[in-house]
Amino acid sequence: MKNPFNPSFGKMPSVFLNRDSLTQRIVTELNRVGSPFQTSLLSGQRGSGKTTLMTEVSNLISKDKNWLVINLVLDDDLLVSLINQLQRHLLNLKIIKNIDLKMNFFGLDMSASFHQQTESNFQLLFQDALEKLTKKGFHVLINIDEVHLTPLLKKFASCYQIMIRNNLNVSLLMAGLPENVSEIQNDDVLTFLLRANRIVLNPLDIESIKNSYQHIFSKAGYTFSTETLLYMTKQTQGFAYAFQLLGYHLLEEIIHSSNKTISISDINNILDTYISELNRNVYFKVYSDMSEREKEFVQAMVKSKQHKVKSQIIGNLMKKGPNYIAVYRRKLIDDQIIKPNGYGYVSFLLPYFDKFVEQEMILDEF
């Protein structure tokens, strides 16, 4: 059988956990006049399912012939790519007759330097295309993944705000890491994004993961005890990428076995591979992007040798006061690296991240 789990980044997995209702809600809201979802910011840690959710929303809304989806990459061609895609839609819909580079757009000779002219006159080109599409009853959804603050993004967002103010049929869905989304919202030029709808992708609930594992493996002809099922579920801690990764490796491990009963030892057999790929594909980048003070905070958590750690203990290990600790506690919670776990306590949100931090601490000693 084909493995239904897909731990590859950027690809749509066959198993899409517990986000169908959220996908449907976003699409429903995008079709509602005046909805706060018209401008939405998806935030979540690496592997939380941002790209998958964005893809699901795009696929669902594309079924409506009045919606056009534009996917953009945040690079030097951001503005040019947007205008190119809008013009291609105008051509395909026969709203304009041709789109060769010699056409005059607002009297501009676009053959001279298409890239330069597009960036210089982006607002006019953007508005003209949207006015034509809006007049014909079309709506445009613009998707930008992996967002972070750049001059081009600021220019695009500022022009987008004007399009909204002019009541043109355009919506925006951007996805990024929590710290990058916060930086964009708090930029002095982009304060209007503070009013945008922010969708935080929190960990998946344990019950959904448990039921999904049971359904998928039962369909493949395997059985396991409640204890084994709960043990497997616990290894993911609700992390969307971990759910895909663990399921993928377990199925690859047992697929050629004649024994159709999955045991805890089967799961333990693939844990080293599972943890190694979590480290390589997610945690190395997460940890390297942390500030030195944030690293000291999580290192103190590891040094405490406790599953849930009191903030006071972290403060004692770091030799810092409550106010100092509170700042970094809040930052790491917002970045989805740790989570509150009872009054005054925190624990790691990501599965086995404490083991990765411990490994890095040992390596730093050499």
Side-chain angles (χ1 to χ4, degrees):
M1 64 170 287
K2 182 180 178 181
N3 198 321
F5 297 99
N6 188 348
S8 300
F9 283 96
K11 292 188 177 181
M12 187 69 194
S14 302
V15 184
F16 186 48
L17 248 184
N18 198 37
R19 296 263 166 85
D20 289 346
S21 58
L22 179 55
T23 301
Q24 184 60 62
R25 186 186 175 202
I26 294 171
V27 171
T28 299
E29 290 289 338
L30 285 171
N31 280 291
R32 189 165 65 85
V33 177
S35 170
F37 281 70
Q38 182 176 15
T39 305
S40 292
L41 301 173
L42 282 173
S43 71
Q45 190 49 261
R46 287 179 175 84
S48 61
K50 300 184 298 297
T51 302
T52 298
L53 180 60
M54 181 178 280
T55 302
E56 274 289 289
V57 169
S58 299
N59 290 343
L60 185 57
I61 208 164
S62 292
K63 293 178 181 179
D64 186 334
K65 60 181 175 49
N66 292 320
W67 275 93
L68 309 172
V69 176
I70 290 180
N71 296 305
L72 297 176
V73 176
L74 187 54
D75 60 11
D76 293 342
D77 294 324
L78 176 74
L79 306 183
V80 174
S81 177
L82 174 55
I83 298 303
N84 277 341
Q85 291 187 58
L86 284 171
Q87 291 179 347
R88 191 179 307 118
H89 282 301
L90 288 169
L91 179 65
N92 292 338
L93 294 166
K94 296 181 170 47
I95 296 174
I96 59 175
K97 292 183 179 179
N98 63 72
I99 199 167
D100 62 80
L101 295 182
K102 293 181 180 180
M103 67 177 287
N104 286 323
F105 221 62
F106 297 106
L108 301 172
D109 180 8
M110 298 305 288
S111 62
S113 172
F114 183 76
H115 196 290
Q116 183 180 355
Q117 291 279 16
T118 299
E119 289 197 358
S120 300
N121 300 279
F122 172 72
Q123 182 181 333
L124 291 174
L125 296 171
F126 191 22
Q127 183 166 329
D128 181 76
L130 289 177
E131 284 176 347
K132 285 181 168 65
L133 290 166
T134 299
K135 187 177 180 180
K136 294 292 185 178
F138 291 100
H139 297 256
V140 176
L141 172 63
I142 300 171
N143 292 326
I144 310 178
D145 201 359
E146 300 296 341
V147 291
H148 53 277
L149 194 61
T150 69
L152 278 180
L153 183 68
K154 289 173 71 170
K155 180 172 182 177
F156 160 75
S158 298
C159 292
Y160 168 80
Q161 183 185 16
I162 295 172
M163 305 304 122
I164 295 296
R165 210 159 55 221
N166 290 341
N167 293 317
L168 297 176
N169 294 346
V170 60
S171 299
L172 175 63
L173 183 59
M174 296 195 292
L177 296 173
E179 60 268 30
N180 290 340
V181 170
S182 294
E183 184 183 18
I184 290 169
Q185 285 188 297
N186 292 311
D187 182 78
D188 291 340
V189 177
L190 305 178
T191 52
F192 79 97
L193 287 175
L194 287 170
R195 300 186 296 277
N197 181 53
R198 185 160 177 174
I199 303 168
V200 179
L201 293 188
N202 292 313
L204 302 162
D205 68 272
I206 296 301
E207 195 65 21
S208 293
I209 289 180
K210 177 174 74 72
N211 292 339
S212 293
Y213 275 149
Q214 186 169 35
H215 172 74
I216 293 163
F217 283 95
S218 295
K219 189 176 179 181
Y222 296 94
T223 61
F224 33 25
S225 67
T226 301
E227 181 186 12
T228 301
L229 179 59
L230 290 173
Y231 179 75
M232 181 178 181
T233 300
K234 186 179 179 181
Q235 306 310 309
T236 70
Q237 291 185 208
F239 187 34
Y241 174 68
F243 164 77
Q244 297 286 345
L245 186 65
L246 185 63
Y248 176 84
H249 282 298
L250 180 60
L251 195 55
E252 290 296 306
E253 171 76 12
I254 64 176
I255 201 164
H256 300 299
S257 172
S258 58
N259 186 358
K260 295 298 182 179
T261 301
I262 300 172
S263 66
I264 289 178
S265 63
D266 289 322
I267 298 167
N268 287 337
N269 286 342
I270 53 105
L271 276 186
D272 283 346
T273 301
Y274 166 67
I275 294 170
S276 177
E277 291 196 21
L278 282 175
N279 291 346
R280 182 174 61 252
N281 297 338
V282 182
Y283 297 164
F284 180 81
K285 181 62 175 171
V286 170
Y287 191 73
S288 65
D289 285 349
M290 292 168 63
S291 70
E292 288 304 313
R293 297 294 173 263
E294 290 165 354
K295 289 178 181 177
E296 288 176 14
F297 190 105
V298 296
Q299 288 171 6
M301 289 177 65
V302 171
K303 289 175 183 176
S304 74
K305 300 189 182 301
Q306 298 175 11
H307 170 66
K308 53 186 237 179
V309 191
K310 199 167 187 177
S311 295
Q312 183 180 358
I313 293 175
I314 297 172
N316 292 339
L317 289 168
M318 293 179 67
K319 297 180 181 178
K320 299 292 183 180
N323 292 338
Y324 182 95
I325 294 301
V327 170
Y328 290 99
R329 178 182 183 274
R330 182 74 262 162
K331 176 69 166 55
L332 290 166
I333 290 173
D334 289 344
D335 290 349
Q336 297 183 326
I337 293 170
I338 65 174
K339 63 180 180 180
N341 196 343
Y343 182 75
Y345 289 84
V346 292
S347 58
F348 285 104
L349 184 65
L350 302 170
Y352 293 102
F353 189 64
D354 55 335
K355 301 300 181 186
F356 176 82
V357 174
E358 185 176 26
Q359 174 182 293
E360 291 300 302
M361 290 166 61
I362 294 171
L363 289 172
D364 286 343
E365 292 178 359
F366 293 104

